[in-house]
Structures are given as structure tokens and as C-alpha cells.
Amino acid sequence: MSKIAIIGGGIIGVVTAYELAKLGEEVILFEKNYFGSGSTFRCATGIRAQFTDEANIRLMKHSVERWEKLEEELESDIVFRQTGYLFLAASEEEVEAFKANIKLQNKFGVPTRLIDMDEAKEIVPILNTEPFLAGAWNPKDGKANPFKTLFAYLFKAKELGVDAREHTEVIGFEREGDTITAVKFRNNGKVESVKVDAVLNAANAWAPLINEMAGLKWDLVPITAYKHQLVKTEPLEPGQAEPLVCPPSWNDAYIIQDGEDGGIICGAGIEHKAKSLDDYEPTYDFLRGVLDYAVRIAPPLRYAHVVRQWAGFYAKTPDSNPAIGRLLDNFYIAAGFSGHGFMMAPAVGEAMAELISKGRSKVPLDWEWYDPYRFERGELRTSAFQIG
Ligand code: FAD
């Protein structure tokens, strides 16, 4: 049994802790604030395999298969619902691009198909069909409750013996050559250290700071925090906009109905570089911009009250693909999820745990694609298809 430290109590850190404990490893999980307080509890709930490159499609196909089994495995209702993702094409060129994406997704077993606007209207009764020519529809995509998902994993992780520490900030490492030998941390002003056999940096937007603590260049894995925001309306009757609905050419604007309370969550690619790593201030330009898109996608939303607006970070790499892999002998990273960390977590946590514990993984994760050293080599991947 090895002792493994995980830095970051967001969904990636918590899932990996659980998966490592399942493999019989001893895990100590550090979260400087409260669990989920980074990006995880601020996300839009979306889960999809509709990507536009092989690596992300294959990873997400596997992740959706994990999501399908989670409620049973974690013995908890995480409100996972396969209500689909519906992308809408507003031009002939976009229809052609959708067809090419669908072909690629189908090749790897993702059942997306092109649908006409009559069928789209049946799926989303409040949809404005007029501006659109066709939709890319995958009924197996879906959504889940980020709060319930994180706590379900955390509860099981603790049952399996994970030492999960909130309000405990990692502040440094002891390193011998390329090996991290100990983690230094602070809780309530008290500084302590613990000997470890391996370390995972799962600090997402904060990951460059952790890399620097490990003696690496802070921009070896260049991750920049962009402020992304959401608004939520008062509850509508269930069934109005259950899938995530998005015309990508409208600045990646989207709406998705909360699977429990029926409120409509509205997002868009109106982003701001975060001024600091605690810049969670919602902005008025986002509120105006996102609602303008939302009422054009679904005109009845004009009459719905907004009850909440909030902000969080997309921790973005230059190619919008995460950095997943080994940085030093026993120092690993899974960070820079660029807006996709919630949906990817079940697969990435499983793969990371297997890599750390066994040196290899059966998860179809293309390690080369996500190689954290690719930025240093100047080898960017094609940009991952963004939006929640
Ligand atoms: P985080 O949840 O950010 O966790 C990292 C943790 O590390 C933080 O809690 C932080 O406090 C902790 N930490 C940092 N430094 C230290 C330290 N020194 N010591 C101890 N702890 C430390 N993703 C999807 O898949 N689907 C969506 O629909 C979606 N929508 C989104 C909408 C919005 C508006 C936003 C902001 C994000 C969205 N995302 C979505 C992205 C998703 O939220 C993230 O990719 C995911 O939560 C990342 O999880 P994580 O565990 O890597 O990081």
C-alpha cells in the first residue's frame, strides 16, 4: 500500500481519491477551502460525448458509461438524467460540420444523429425553431447534480478510509531529485508535513501554483482562469428544455433545465480573464448578453424571472484540453479542464488512480493527447469543442 496525497477537493480530486481507495491505496486529500468550492459547485451540470475529436469522444463515451452506473455504485441519487444535448445549426456550413462530427462520433459508438426542426420542437417545446436548419441530437448525453455527485463520491471515499481534510492548504513539498517525499500543509495556522509516496495535483485553476511549489516552472502547464457565469430562472414546469440546447454559432449560448427544481440554467461564451483567483464577481454585461441569447433560443423565457447569477472559472489550457499525466517520478497532474471537468471526472479519476497505483490503465484515455509536457514541446492539440 502506498500513501498518496491529492491536492484539490473538487470533483477530480474527490473521484480520484475514491478510485485509489478502491484499489487499496492510502489516500490523504487536501482542500484549502471546502469541498467543491472551486469550479465544481459552480458548473452547469452538463455531460456529453458530442466532441469533435477522437480522444475526447472516446474518453467521454467511457465516462458516460461510468455515469450510467454511478447511482447504483455510490448508493446515492445524484440526479443523473440522460436528457440529451441538442446542438443547433444556423447555416448550411454548420449543417455540413455537424454531419462530419456525427460521423466521427458514430464511429466510436456515440449515437448522435441529425434531426429536423419538427423533431427538435418535440424534444424542446419552448424552442424557437425559426433561425435553425437542423440539430445534432444525442439522447445519451445528460446532466447530474454537482453537489450530490461530489458528496456521494466523498462519502464513499471516506467509508473506504480516505483521510479527507477541508480548510487545509498545501503550502510546499520536500523533494529529493525527481521524487516528492513529503507534503507540507497548513490548517488553522498550524503547519505540518506528511511523508508520501505519490502526489496528484488536482488543483485546476490553482494547478500552476502547485507545480511551482514542486520546483517546476509555473507555466510548464499553462493554465489561465477565465471567469464563466450562469444565470438561473425561477422553476418552470418539467419537460420544457430538459436537454442542453446550444446553437454554437451564437457565442456558444446554451440553456438547460435543472433536473430537480425545473429552473432554466443559461450560459454563454461571454468570458473574462479572471483578475485574480478569487474574482467571482458576476458582471452585468453577462446578464444582459446571456438573456438576449436565451430568449432568442426559447422565447417564453422572456416571462421567467431570473433568481440567481453566479461565476466560476474555466481553467483553460492553450488548446482547451486538460493536462493529464506524470510530471515527475511520483508527481502527477489532472488539471486545466477548460470547462469539461465535471463530465470527465468519472473516467479521469478512474484512469488517474490506475496510473498512480498500477502504472497503467484500462480506461480509453489517450495519454499522449493529454500529455502535460505537450505545451513545452509546442505541440498543441486541436482545440476541444467548448461549452458546458
Ligand atoms: P475545482 O473544482 O476547481 O477544484 C480544485 C480545488 O483545488 C479547489 O476546490 C481549490 O480550493 C483547491 N485548491 C487549490 N489550491 C489548493 C491548495 N494549495 N491546497 C489545497 N487545495 C487547493 N464542466 C462540465 O463538465 N459540464 C458543465 O456543464 C460545466 N459547466 C460549467 C459552467 C461554469 C459557469 C463553470 C465555471 C464551469 C463549468 N464546468 C463544467 C467546468 C467544471 O466546473 C470544472 O472543469 C470542474 O469542476 C473542475 O473540477 P476540478 O476538481 O478539476 O477543479
Side-chain angles (χ1 to χ4, degrees):
M1 191 201 272
S2 308
K3 184 154 188 151
I4 296 152
I6 298 180
I7 304 157
I11 193 69
I12 295 292
V14 172
V15 175
T16 311
Y18 165 73
E19 295 288 350
L20 278 166
K22 258 173 48 182
L23 294 173
E25 303 294 2
E26 188 183 346
V27 182
I28 180 163
L29 170 63
F30 295 103
E31 168 51 53
K32 71 178 168 118
N33 200 342
Y34 57 89
F35 290 109
S37 59
S39 295
T40 299
F41 285 170
R42 302 164 191 275
C43 88
T45 76
I47 297 163
R48 69 180 153 102
Q50 287 195 65
F51 276 83
T52 56
D53 61 85
E54 177 177 340
N56 285 306
I57 294 170
R58 294 185 69 221
L59 181 68
M60 274 313 302
K61 170 150 189 302
H62 179 79
S63 202
V64 170
E65 284 161 8
R66 288 288 293 133
W67 277 104
E68 285 169 348
K69 297 192 190 102
L70 280 186
E71 294 201 336
E72 199 183 327
E73 179 172 334
L74 301 176
E75 297 176 297
S76 187
D77 178 11
I78 57 169
V79 202
F80 173 63
R81 304 278 182 270
Q82 283 177 298
T83 45
Y85 260 57
L86 175 62
F87 288 106
L88 297 164
S91 68
E92 287 296 351
E93 296 77 64
E94 247 188 319
V95 175
E96 290 312 308
F98 277 22
K99 283 182 185 163
N101 294 339
I102 289 170
K103 201 168 159 193
L104 189 65
Q105 290 158 19
N106 291 170
K107 184 172 162 196
F108 298 107
V110 175
T112 315
R113 59 191 177 83
L114 199 72
I115 62 171
D116 63 23
M117 294 317 295
D118 289 340
E119 190 172 350
K121 183 83 180 170
E122 276 168 32
I123 296 166
V124 182
I126 58 174
L127 182 64
N128 174 18
T129 55
E130 217 174 290
F132 307 116
L133 304 177
W137 168 241
N138 177 13
K140 291 206 139 193
D141 290 339
K143 57 195 176 192
N145 180 314
F147 301 88
K148 292 186 173 172
T149 304
L150 183 136
F151 284 123
Y153 266 115
L154 187 62
F155 185 76
K156 282 285 167 194
K158 285 180 177 173
E159 258 187 11
L160 292 172
V162 169
D163 179 359
R165 305 200 181 189
E166 271 184 309
H167 303 292
T168 307
E169 183 177 9
V170 168
I171 54 171
F173 300 107
E174 284 168 30
R175 182 176 152 178
E176 283 171 19
D178 274 351
T179 305
I180 304 282
T181 54
V183 176
K184 259 197 274 180
F185 55 94
R186 181 171 46 212
N187 172 270
N188 254 332
K190 192 171 157 215
V191 174
E192 290 175 68
S193 82
V194 60
K195 298 264 174 232
V196 292
D197 299 303
V199 176
L200 170 65
N201 177 355
N204 213 28
W206 295 265
L209 304 173
I210 306 295
N211 286 346
E212 208 174 23
M213 287 179 203
L216 299 166
K217 281 190 297 179
W218 83 268
D219 60 351
L220 174 69
V221 181
I223 294 174
T224 309
Y226 285 88
K227 185 154 71 174
H228 269 249
Q229 300 175 58
L230 295 169
V231 299
K232 190 168 181 185
T233 72
E234 63 187 320
L236 301 194
E237 244 177 65
Q240 300 306 305
E242 295 289 353
L244 188 141
V245 183
C246 171
S249 61
W250 290 11
N251 200 2
D252 293 332
Y254 59 92
I255 60 169
I256 181 169
Q257 190 160 21
D258 187 298
E260 273 175 309
D261 67 25
I264 306 280
I265 298 169
C266 311
I270 304 165
E271 66 180 10
H272 301 268
K273 198 167 164 195
K275 292 188 195 122
S276 65
L277 289 176
D278 50 15
D279 173 16
Y280 292 123
E281 187 83 15
T283 62
Y284 183 58
D285 70 318
F286 177 81
L287 181 66
R288 282 190 70 113
V290 76
L291 292 178
D292 182 53
Y293 288 122
V295 298
R296 283 196 280 143
I297 295 169
L301 289 182
R302 187 176 300 280
Y303 305 104
H305 293 103
V306 169
V307 294
R308 215 185 134 200
Q309 177 181 0
W310 70 95
F313 301 138
Y314 271 26
K316 277 169 63 160
T317 65
D319 58 18
S320 297
N321 287 283
I324 307 173
R326 187 198 299 259
L327 285 171
L328 293 168
D329 255 6
N330 66 344
F331 182 64
Y332 301 82
I333 187 168
F337 282 89
S338 310
H340 310 126
F342 181 61
M343 61 180 84
M344 289 179 170
V348 171
E350 185 189 8
M352 227 34 249
E354 287 177 351
L355 181 73
I356 295 171
S357 178
K358 302 175 180 172
R360 64 188 183 285
S361 169
K362 60 181 181 337
V363 174
L365 184 147
D366 184 340
W367 296 100
E368 188 151 336
W369 182 268
Y370 300 110
D371 179 359
Y373 277 102
R374 69 183 185 276
F375 309 106
E376 191 179 53
R377 294 198 304 268
E379 279 174 24
L380 295 195
R381 310 298 178 223
T382 49
S383 193
F385 179 37
Q386 279 202 15
I387 85 114

